Amino acid sequence: MLAAGSAPHLLSQDPVPVMMRRVIYSLMPALCAFVWFFGVGIILNITVAAVFAILAEYVCLKLRRRPVRMFIDDYSAVVTALLIAFCLPPLTPWWITAIGAVFAIAFAKHLYGGIGYNIFNPAMAGYLLILISFPEDLARWPSPRIGDLDYESLSLLGTLRYTLTGSLPEGVVFDALTRATPLDTVKVELGMMRTMGEIRANPLFGDFGGRGWEWIANFIALGGFWLLYRGVIRWHIPVAMLGGLLGMAFIFYVIDSATHPSPGFHLFSGASVLCAFYIATDPVSAATTNLGRLIYGAGIGVLTYLLRTWGSYPDGVAFAVLLMNMAVPIIDRYTRPRVYGRAKRLDA
Amino acid sequence: MSVRSVFNLQPARPAWGIRPPAHKTQSMRDPIASAPLPAQVSIPVEQSLGIRAEPLVEPSQRVRTGELIAAADSAAGWPGARIHASVSGHVRCIEERPVAGDDTATSLCIVIDSDGLDERHPDCRPADPWSLSPAQIIERIRAGGIVGLGGALFDTAAKLECKANVAGLILNGAECEPYITCDEMLMRERADAVVEGALIMARALGDPDTVIAVESDMPEARVALHDAIDARGTTAVSVAVVTAKYPAGGERQLIELIAGREVPEYGLPSDIGMVCQNVATAAAVAGLFASGEPLISRIVTVAGDNIAEPRNVDARIGTSLSELVSVAGGYVGEAHRLIMGGPMMGIALPDDSMPVTKATNCIIALHEPAHEPSRVEMPCIRCAECSEVCPARLLPQELLIASRTSDTEALEELGVDACIECGCCDYVCPSYIPLTVRFIEAKRTLREQRQTRHDAEHARDRFEAREARLKDAAEALTRELDEQVESLDEQTSIDEIMARVGGGEENDR
């Protein structure tokens, strides 16, 4: 019996699960760097986030009577979990991670109709919920493991214990373990009327951003370049997002470099690079036309700068992404390319 | 007008299109083979766009090769092309037979048993196109039953007859679908015929700028064409090279690539002074004038993993596909998919018993790709790869939503009518959504709605016209009566009227 079916009889594109798997693989170098500088905590966070994300996905698919296997196998829940975990401090109690993952999958994704229909980036929605609910826990970043920084770190067991119980081993206090992040330090000390020159004298700072942080950003960018090379993402959003952020940073740096960190600092701090390559590029919640992607990416970059500089949280990436997610329908509506053969648009 | 003035030789490079694996070398190793004269041909009468041709022969009648056996009544408006006997022999029967199309597609076919003599009909006489006027050339092409051999089957004479002032003629040799090599082999082996046909058609159109378009991966064809042009000593035709990608050979896309201009959304190439003809059509035109032979054969590519010796076969119209496969060495292994046309736009066939028509440029026999069963449709993730590759600059991801909700207004605004059904969006979709099928469906629905609306408007116009006529008549009557009453007032008294009325009543009794 010969196969019927309509044209085309050729298909090429790697399916969605393959794209998702590539996203996961591409984050592996950055994960290694993360573990190197901040310890194994992130692995525990990824595990917790992935387990709860898949669980939430399973329950939602069951409730919605959708084929479970096919959608679990698309790896999108794992990608969401991975991105949440990359935003969390390595020492995070499991319930906080779990709440973020479940909210991301159940509320931000499935309440809107599941994969393909969510308006908001699930990972950022989940992360923001726990950021707002547990601000203190999410601000406790350990000191990066860099040769001459005095640091103290938890053992594997200690990390596991903290993740499971939320309590530190006897005799260990948070003050010895954690340090303000570079973004935090800049925000607080600028508020204390220090100049950028003074602030940067802190051994926490490296060439551009925070020491250790810079390296993680480099490895994330490496993964991002690989995704670009493999065609999983396109260049418009990363370039526009970083362009918007760096453009703003450059303007204010030129105006007054004593009170505004350099563009390099913004590039290598917080989640700038992760956002540019992995978060803002989530196709479902991003703009779809090329011009729209440039506007969307630039909007995230500019908003990130505004929120970092004048907002009350150290980083603004998650808020910026969700705000621009809301603008996507209108961006798409007004950036439609002219159809072949159609006269110049009469109305918008 | 110089070539440069119409054809922008350094056109913009639009980003659309895909580059699927070409699979073209397999069928170009051997020269074009001639299929043996078939014992029987089955010639569908529906082989051109337009009204259907009606058989002009009776069962058991003897016909000769090249004899007119079916024609459309061209007085009925849109012309349909003529059909000629491709072998000599006796008409066996005229009956509905399955043809390529959807599962149930059939066409009235004239079945001729060949007598093996291939005796020419005396009407097949060569002619010198250079001593004929453009109108005579077009008439001759119409009589030769020539249609667009790229697969669209548009009546060639109708295309040449367009009233517009034609500035450019493009000979389409940009054969962009994978596997198909019939045009490329034709240009390699019979470049002189292509050039001759191009010049004849240019003459019919009033000598516009003429280019033969080939793809960048056809160097041999390009050289052969240049040689043929040099040998002919003409400067009236040149060769243009377009980037090898799919669908560069789409008529509208080729015009965009070569002339840097777009055909209007609901218009035709002639609206911007362009005419596009396939290179095989040109060769058929040349053959028509050189030997007097109407369109009774064409070159068909036989290719695919399951074909022993993939190659191009010159076959008579009406030959069964299975005979072509035997010329190409038969099948190896079991074929799971038989496609007429290219893999991107072709039709899946239920078997190989169907006849070669004027549209048959290729048959492909394929193994089922190993990973086919895993290709389950998933929700759209809005990656917009489809709009990246769409040659009409549509947004398939938005058209998908509009088609699901049957939002005809959105479908129209998003330009679904500009979809050329090339299948690029399906090809790149990571969710394996069958988009093209939906858009074909949506286009049909829109067309039907427009027709209904048009009919309704027509009916309303007629109704209103009738109302107006009746009203006019009623007014005229009233006016006449009023005048009569006035004249009565002037001349007659009431009593007289009453007497008249009474008298009338009396008379009635």
Side-chain angles (χ1 to χ4, degrees):
Chain A
M1 187 59 203
L2 289 170
S6 53
H9 308 280
L10 275 186
L11 303 172
S12 85
Q13 184 77 6
D14 299 308
V16 173
V18 172
M19 292 170 68
M20 295 291 179
R21 277 211 297 272
R22 288 198 177 132
V23 172
I24 296 169
Y25 299 152
S26 71
L27 272 172
M28 289 306 124
L31 179 63
C32 294
F34 209 111
V35 170
W36 173 265
F37 288 110
F38 291 110
V40 292
I42 187 171
I43 308 253
L44 299 178
N45 291 347
I46 290 172
T47 313
V48 172
V51 165
F52 280 91
I54 292 171
L55 216 61
E57 183 98 348
Y58 178 84
V59 171
C60 289
L61 288 169
K62 275 281 170 201
L63 289 174
R64 295 178 57 216
R65 299 198 180 90
R66 293 294 148 104
V68 170
R69 190 60 203 276
M70 175 174 135
F71 285 107
I72 295 276
D73 279 359
D74 71 13
Y75 292 92
S76 60
V78 180
V79 170
T80 302
L82 200 58
L83 293 176
I84 293 175
F86 259 82
C87 297
L88 297 179
L91 294 178
T92 305
W94 70 268
W95 57 89
I96 295 181
T97 315
I99 289 170
V102 169
F103 183 80
I105 299 294
F107 286 78
K109 187 173 169 186
H110 278 286
L111 285 190
Y112 285 91
I115 185 169
Y117 297 98
N118 47 293
I119 294 168
F120 296 105
N121 184 312
M124 286 305 97
Y127 171 70
L128 266 191
L129 177 82
I130 51 180
L131 179 69
I132 295 169
S133 313
F134 308 95
E136 252 174 58
D137 293 273
L138 264 59
R140 284 188 187 135
W141 279 83
S143 175
R145 197 161 73 104
I146 292 273
D148 56 337
L149 276 185
D150 58 18
Y151 66 90
E152 205 171 322
S153 65
L154 281 183
S155 64
L156 176 60
L157 266 177
T159 310
L160 188 60
R161 184 188 146 141
Y162 182 77
T163 305
L164 292 177
T165 64
S167 60
L168 290 169
E170 302 236 347
V172 183
V173 285
F174 264 115
D175 285 351
L177 285 175
T178 63
R179 242 167 222 278
T181 64
L183 272 176
D184 226 352
T185 312
V186 167
K187 186 173 248 332
V188 170
E189 299 200 4
L190 279 177
M192 295 157 70
M193 307 309 279
R194 297 225 169 92
T195 67
M196 274 313 293
E198 290 168 314
I199 298 167
R200 290 193 58 91
N202 186 326
L204 201 59
F205 288 87
D207 296 325
F208 295 103
R211 292 166 76 188
W213 294 88
E214 296 171 333
W215 279 104
I216 294 172
N218 281 335
F219 282 105
I220 291 172
L222 197 69
F225 288 135
W226 186 71
L227 289 185
L228 279 172
Y229 169 72
R230 293 310 304 255
V232 177
I233 58 173
R234 287 185 179 262
W235 61 269
H236 307 80
I237 292 174
V239 166
M241 188 270 165
L242 294 177
L245 176 66
L246 299 187
M248 288 293 284
F250 180 77
I251 292 168
F252 285 94
Y253 186 66
V254 167
I255 292 172
D256 186 0
S257 65
T259 56
H260 294 98
S262 69
F265 174 80
H266 276 287
L267 177 62
F268 284 100
S269 297
S272 308
V273 178
L274 186 70
C275 174
F277 290 102
Y278 287 91
I279 296 168
T281 51
D282 163 41
V284 179
S285 55
T288 54
T289 62
N290 283 338
L291 177 61
R293 285 167 172 166
L294 291 174
I295 296 171
Y296 171 80
I300 292 175
V302 169
L303 282 174
T304 299
Y305 185 85
L306 296 178
L307 289 161
R308 274 182 186 176
T309 310
W310 291 286
S312 49
Y313 287 88
D315 205 350
V317 162
F319 293 102
V321 168
L322 293 198
L323 284 170
M324 288 311 289
N325 284 163
M326 287 195 273
V328 159
I330 207 134
I331 294 175
D332 276 351
R333 175 74 185 77
Y334 284 96
T335 56
R336 277 181 197 160
R338 185 177 57 82
V339 172
Y340 177 103
R342 186 173 283 185
K344 299 268 181 268
R345 64 181 52 203
L346 304 171
D347 62 323
Chain B
M1 198 184 280
S2 79
V3 167
R4 277 174 196 279
S5 63
V6 180
F7 299 117
N8 173 8
L9 291 185
Q10 282 176 324
R13 289 170 185 265
W16 51 254
I18 54 171
R19 288 180 171 79
H23 298 292
K24 286 188 190 255
T25 47
Q26 53 170 266
S27 56
M28 292 198 290
R29 284 187 210 111
D30 296 318
I32 300 170
S34 276
L37 202 64
Q40 188 184 69
V41 289
S42 166
I43 305 174
V45 297
E46 289 168 45
Q47 292 196 59
S48 76
L49 291 178
I51 53 172
R52 169 179 144 150
E54 295 300 332
L56 302 172
V57 289
E58 304 272 298
S60 79
Q61 183 182 336
R62 176 167 156 80
V63 292
R64 282 169 289 184
T65 308
E67 187 169 340
L68 185 66
I69 54 170
D73 180 9
S74 55
W78 198 249
R82 299 176 188 185
I83 310 279
H84 301 80
S86 56
V87 292
S88 63
H90 287 88
V91 176
R92 184 189 185 85
C93 57
I94 300 171
E95 62 182 18
E96 289 286 333
R97 289 197 169 187
V99 291
D102 56 40
D103 299 342
T104 56
T106 61
S107 167
L108 194 62
C109 291
I110 300 173
V111 182
I112 304 171
D113 285 327
S114 170
D115 56 12
L117 302 172
D118 199 20
E119 188 192 334
R120 288 295 149 115
H121 191 267
D123 280 356
C124 299
R125 285 189 309 271
D128 176 18
W130 313 112
S131 64
L132 298 176
S133 71
Q136 286 169 318
I137 291 176
I138 291 169
E139 201 34 60
R140 187 121 189 147
I141 289 174
R142 173 167 294 129
I146 292 178
V147 293
L149 294 180
L153 294 182
F154 200 91
D155 186 11
T156 301
K159 224 169 177 180
L160 294 174
E161 221 168 21
C162 66
K163 302 288 179 284
N165 193 16
V166 175
L169 168 64
I170 298 174
L171 278 299
N172 188 347
E175 190 173 39
C176 51
E177 277 233 40
Y179 291 98
I180 312 181
T181 57
C182 57
D183 289 349
E184 185 170 358
M185 288 303 281
L186 173 81
M187 289 188 287
R188 284 194 196 180
E189 295 190 11
R190 303 177 193 169
D192 48 342
V194 173
V195 172
E196 177 74 13
L199 290 168
I200 295 170
M201 289 201 277
R203 181 173 165 80
L205 288 166
D207 294 311
D209 295 344
T210 304
V211 292
I212 303 172
V214 297
E215 287 194 298
S216 52
D217 61 354
M218 304 177 175
E220 291 93 343
R222 196 169 74 223
V223 169
L225 287 170
H226 276 301
D227 288 350
I229 291 168
D230 290 347
R232 188 99 178 29
T234 178
T235 53
V237 54
S238 54
V239 177
V241 179
V242 298
T243 318
K245 67 174 169 181
Y246 177 84
E251 185 173 70
R252 281 152 199 263
Q253 283 56 52
L254 193 63
I255 289 171
E256 185 189 13
L257 286 172
I258 295 189
R261 299 176 65 190
E262 292 174 15
V263 179
E265 194 177 359
Y266 291 96
L268 290 172
S270 57
D271 295 343
I272 55 166
M274 292 284 160
V275 170
C276 208
Q277 296 279 6
N278 187 270
V279 287
T281 314
V285 167
L288 173 70
F289 285 94
S291 68
E293 185 181 274
L295 186 55
I296 54 165
S297 67
R298 68 157 299 147
I299 302 171
V300 182
T301 305
V302 185
D305 329 329
N306 290 110
I307 301 292
E309 298 153 21
R311 69 186 312 161
N312 282 279
V313 182
D314 194 339
R316 298 287 167 94
I317 305 297
T319 310
S320 91
L321 297 179
S322 56
E323 283 178 62
L324 263 63
V325 172
S326 347
V327 177
Y331 295 104
V332 258
E334 201 185 339
H336 289 281
R337 208 174 263 266
L338 194 64
I339 300 163
M340 182 187 275
M344 295 303 294
M345 293 183 75
I347 300 161
L349 298 179
D351 57 64
D352 60 6
S353 67
M354 293 174 179
V356 170
T357 70
K358 294 175 181 180
T360 310
N361 49 8
C362 185
I363 43 175
I364 308 170
L366 291 177
H367 285 297
E368 198 76 16
H371 44 298
E372 193 73 17
S374 68
R375 299 204 149 156
V376 190
E377 183 182 341
M378 302 252 306
C380 169
I381 57 161
R382 289 168 39 91
C383 67
E385 287 299 309
C386 48
S387 45
E388 262 344 289
V389 297
C390 178
R393 285 195 303 270
L394 302 178
L395 301 171
Q397 78 276 10
E398 294 200 15
L399 281 171
L400 174 70
I401 298 167
S403 72
R404 277 195 179 134
T405 53
S406 304
D407 185 345
T408 50
E409 211 171 288
L411 282 168
E412 251 170 8
E413 197 189 325
L414 289 164
V416 74
D417 291 301
C419 169
I420 61 162
E421 302 164 20
C422 64
C424 286
C425 47
D426 289 44
Y427 183 76
V428 298
C429 180
S431 296
Y432 301 138
I433 303 170
L435 295 158
T436 309
V437 168
R438 275 185 171 279
F439 302 155
I440 294 172
E441 187 74 35
K443 279 164 75 175
R444 195 174 54 223
T445 313
L446 279 184
R447 208 162 42 231
E448 284 165 5
Q449 282 182 357
R450 265 184 227 122
Q451 188 59 46
T452 317
R453 210 181 310 146
H454 178 262
D455 290 350
E457 270 163 25
H458 191 64
R460 197 190 61 211
D461 287 348
R462 279 208 331 228
F463 174 75
E464 282 171 358
R466 178 171 174 273
E467 289 287 282
R469 261 196 329 272
L470 290 177
K471 200 174 152 211
D472 284 352
E475 274 170 8
L477 193 66
T478 320
R479 225 177 301 124
E480 208 178 304
L481 285 175
D482 284 350
E483 277 164 18
Q484 280 184 11
V485 169
E486 273 168 32
S487 62
L488 283 177
D489 283 347
E490 283 164 17
Q491 294 165 11
T492 350
S493 70
I494 295 289
D495 293 339
E496 272 176 294
I497 296 170
M498 289 308 288
R500 256 199 224 173
V501 169
E505 279 171 358
E506 271 172 10
N507 285 347
D508 281 349
R509 281 173 205 140

